[in-house]
Amino acid sequence: VYFQIRQRFLTPLRELRQKFQRAGKNRLESMKPHPAKDEVGDVIAGYNQLVGALSAEMEERQRYERERHLQSHLVALGLQADGLAHELATPLSTISTLASMAAKGDTESAKMLSAESKALAERMRRFMGIFRERKVAVRPLDLNHLASERLRRLEGGRVAFQFQGATDAIEILSDEILIGEIMDNLFQNAARHAKSNVLVVTGRTPEEAWVTVADDGAGILPQHKEKLFRPLFTTSEGGHGLGLFVSSLWAQALGGRLELLSLRDAGLGGAVFRIGLPLKVASY
C-alpha cells in the first residue's frame, strides 16, 4: 500500500515541489501528465497550464524588450546618418559651384564635376532613404532557414553558392528584414568578387549565433582593411560604398556585429566576413 501511495501521490507531489522551487529561479519546466484522473492529476494539469501561460508571457516580454531596444538603436543610427549628410553638405555645394564656374571655360571639366556631384548626391539620397520610416518587428527566427532561403534567391547565376548549415536549428529573436538585408549584401558582395564559388556556413557558440561568408576571389588588400566599413568607400566599379557600412550598423542595432575575419581565406583564397547575432534566450 505504501509503495502504491508513493508512486501515485508522494512522487509526483515531490517532483511538483521541485519544479516550483526551480521556477523561482526563472526555470519553468512542465511535468508529464499524471496517468490517474484524480486530484493529483488535476493539480499537475493545472500546473502545466500555468507553465505554458507564464512561458508565453515571458517570451512576449522578451520579444517586446528586444524590439524596443532595436528601435532605440535605429533612432540613434538615424542621427548618425543625419550627421553624415550634414558633413557632406559643404563638399556637395563646393562641387556644384566649381561645376558652374568650369562651365564658363572648360566644358569637359564642367561635365565631369557636374556628374560627380550628382553621383555623390544620389549616393547620399539612397543612404538617407535606408533610415527613413524604418520599423522593427522582432520575432523568433531560425538562422539556418533564413540563410538558406536568401541563398535560394541567388541560384542560377555565374557563381555557385555552397551552404553548410548547422545540424540543429539556431533560434534567434530578431528582425527578419534587417538580418535578410545584411545577408543579401554579404552574399551579393561575395558573388561580385568571387571567381566561381561562395561558401556560407552557419553555427553557434554558447553566447551567439553566426554566419560566415567566404569567396574564392582575390581577397582584400591590406591597405583597404581599415576602410571597408566606412561610408562611401568602395573598390567595386559602380558601387555606392554603402553596403558594408549600413550592414555593420544593422548588425549593431540587432545587438550583434559584422566583422572581417580574414583578408584571404586559407582554403578558398578570398575574403571572409562573419555576422554575429545574440541567441534567443529560452524562457522555459
Side-chain angles (χ1 to χ4, degrees), residues 129-146:
I130 293 172
F131 292 92
R132 292 196 180 100
E133 303 300 326
R134 173 68 70 175
K135 300 295 181 183
V136 296
V138 172
R139 67 182 184 87
L141 301 169
D142 178 2
L143 194 61
N144 277 338
H145 177 73
L146 183 57

Side-chain angles (χ1 to χ4, degrees), residues 66 170-172 203-210 255-257 276-281:
R66 179 68 60 82
I170 303 177
E171 286 194 339
I172 59 176
R204 58 173 294 174
T205 66
E207 294 79 25
E208 68 174 9
W210 51 261
R257 67 187 188 280
L277 296 164
L279 291 166
K280 176 180 180 291
V281 179

Side-chain angles (χ1 to χ4, degrees), residues 5 29 41 65 77 92 99 121 153 156 179 186 199-200 216 232:
I5 292 175
E29 302 171 339
E65 289 297 326
L77 294 177
L92 280 172
R153 301 179 184 183
I179 296 177
L186 287 185
L199 175 63
V200 177
D216 63 350
L232 309 181

Side-chain angles (χ1 to χ4, degrees), residues 126-193:
R126 290 184 56 179
F127 178 72
M128 292 302 299
I130 293 172
F131 292 92
R132 292 196 180 100
E133 303 300 326
R134 173 68 70 175
K135 300 295 181 183
V136 296
V138 172
R139 67 182 184 87
L141 301 169
D142 178 2
L143 194 61
N144 277 338
H145 177 73
L146 183 57
S148 63
E149 284 297 312
R150 291 286 173 169
L151 285 173
R152 189 172 291 115
R153 301 179 184 183
L154 301 175
E155 292 178 350
R158 70 170 186 86
V159 174
F161 286 91
Q162 301 176 42
F163 179 56
Q164 295 180 7
T167 305
D168 300 323
I170 303 177
E171 286 194 339
I172 59 176
L173 188 63
S174 200
D175 184 286
E176 181 176 0
I177 294 178
L178 293 187
I179 296 177
E181 290 182 1
I182 297 173
M183 288 184 178
D184 288 346
N185 178 69
L186 287 185
F187 297 164
Q188 293 169 11
N189 191 58
R192 280 194 297 271
H193 292 89

Side-chain angles (χ1 to χ4, degrees), residues 84-96:
L84 179 62
H86 179 73
E87 290 181 8
L88 291 174
T90 300
L92 280 172
S93 177
T94 302
I95 289 175
S96 298

